[in-house]
Amino acid sequence: MGTNRARYTVSVDDEMFKKIEDFRYENRYPNRAEATVELIRLGLEVIEKREEENKKSSK
């Protein structure tokens, strides 16, 4: 069964790997990939909010 999602490999150090695994288990994600995607999504949300705030404050 194929997927329409893009795939790529990411290498992380041991400390980040542990943090990802801790996040995965604490939030009951079924696998590391889903936990990693969620962490990326959350990080992008923070960046978007900062950009919006910066635009508002520069007016």
Side-chain angles (χ1 to χ4, degrees), residues 14 17 30 32 36 41 55:
D14 291 342
F17 181 81
R32 192 174 301 124
T36 303
R41 187 189 66 74
K55 285 179 185 176

Side-chain angles (χ1 to χ4, degrees), residues 2-18:
T3 179
N4 290 333
R5 292 182 171 191
R7 291 175 171 239
Y8 60 95
T9 302
V10 177
S11 299
V12 298
D13 61 27
D14 291 342
E15 182 181 346
M16 186 175 291
F17 181 81
K18 182 180 180 331

Side-chain angles (χ1 to χ4, degrees), residues 23-41:
F23 176 84
R24 174 186 170 201
Y25 288 112
E26 289 168 7
N27 294 280
R28 300 175 187 234
Y29 283 92
N31 57 58
R32 192 174 301 124
E34 287 186 38
T36 303
V37 168
E38 180 65 5
L39 287 166
I40 293 168
R41 187 189 66 74

Side-chain angles (χ1 to χ4, degrees), residues 34-58:
E34 287 186 38
T36 303
V37 168
E38 180 65 5
L39 287 166
I40 293 168
R41 187 189 66 74
L42 291 168
L44 290 172
E45 280 184 8
V46 169
I47 291 168
E48 289 171 1
K49 286 179 184 177
R50 283 184 188 163
E51 289 174 351
E52 288 174 15
E53 290 172 3
N54 286 340
K55 285 179 185 176
K56 289 178 184 176
S57 66
S58 66

